[in-house]
Amino acid sequence: MDVTESAVASPVLVVGGTGMLAGVVGALVREGLTTVVVSRNPPAPAVFGSLGTASGVLIPVGADYTEPERFARTLRRAAARTGPFRQAVLWVHAEGRPHAYAAVADTLAQDASVIEVVGSGALAPTAPPPRPPEAFDRRTRHRTVVLGFTGDGPHTRWLDHGEIGTGVLAALRAPEGDRLRVVGRVRPWEDRPSA
C-alpha cells in the first residue's frame, strides 16, 4: 500500500500487536489510520481480520524489542516513513520495557498519547501504584490499561483476545483524564484464575 499524506496525519504505533492486540490493529486500520505494527516477524495482513475496503494503511514491520539497537533503528525508519507517531499502544514484557520504551519515545510526536498494556500483577496488593515510565516525559499523555479476569467466584478466567481488544480500544477513545483502566476485574485478588 502506498502511504498518502492524509493517511499519515495521525500515525499509530502498536508494539506487540499480532496476538491479543490484533483486533486493535485491524480496527485502527478500518478507522482510516496509518498503523505501524511491530512484531518479531512481520505478520500477514490476515492476522488482523478482514480489512475490507479500509481507508487506513497497515505497515507491518519485524523487530524484536529484546534486540534494543535493531528495534530502535526499525522504529526510527518507520517514523521516517509515516512521521512521528501520534498514538502508541505498547504490550511489552517487563524486562524489555526500559529500552523498548526509550526507542518508542524517540519516535513520538509532541503531545502523543501512549497506552501501556500490562498484566494484572500491576495491581497486585503488594505492587506499587502504576506510574508513567521514565522514558515518557511530560509532553506525552500516558495511560495504563491493566488486563484482569472475568467470571464469578471459583469460575473465573483470563480475558480472551476479543475482550482485551475491546478494552484497549475503549481506552484509546476515552477522555484524556482516564489514566488507569482495568479491563475485566482484578478484585478480589484471590479470585484470579490459577492457570
Side-chain angles (χ1 to χ4, degrees), residues 117-137:
V117 181
V118 298
S120 62
L123 292 179
T126 58
R131 61 174 211 228
E134 291 181 15
F136 304 121
D137 61 24

Side-chain angles (χ1 to χ4, degrees), residues 19-38:
M20 66 182 192
L21 296 179
V24 172
V25 172
L28 294 171
V29 174
R30 285 187 293 277
E31 289 174 11
L33 298 172
T34 294
T35 306
V36 174
V37 60
V38 182

Side-chain angles (χ1 to χ4, degrees), residues 52-182:
T53 57
S55 59
V57 177
L58 173 65
I59 304 174
V61 296
D64 187 338
Y65 59 75
T66 64
E67 299 172 6
E69 291 178 16
R70 181 172 176 252
F71 183 78
R73 276 194 312 272
T74 300
L75 291 188
R76 286 192 301 270
R77 280 195 304 267
R81 180 176 177 188
T82 64
F85 298 109
R86 298 288 312 144
Q87 293 181 308
V89 179
L90 310 174
W91 170 242
V92 177
H93 294 135
E95 65 276 3
R97 289 180 189 148
H99 60 265
Y101 288 2
V104 168
D106 286 343
T107 63
L108 295 175
Q110 181 79 14
D111 203 29
S113 176
V114 174
I115 301 285
E116 180 186 19
V117 181
V118 298
S120 62
L123 292 179
T126 58
R131 61 174 211 228
E134 291 181 15
F136 304 121
D137 61 24
R138 293 180 185 270
R139 65 186 178 93
T140 304
R141 296 176 319 236
H142 174 269
R143 291 178 281 168
T144 303
V145 173
V146 179
L147 303 179
F149 54 90
T150 190
D152 294 315
H155 305 289
T156 60
R157 64 170 175 79
W158 296 113
L159 301 171
D160 64 30
H161 289 186
E163 292 163 332
I164 291 167
T166 298
V168 171
L169 285 169
L172 275 167
R173 296 174 179 133
E176 291 299 323
D178 187 7
R179 299 284 179 193
L180 177 68
R181 177 175 292 251
V182 177

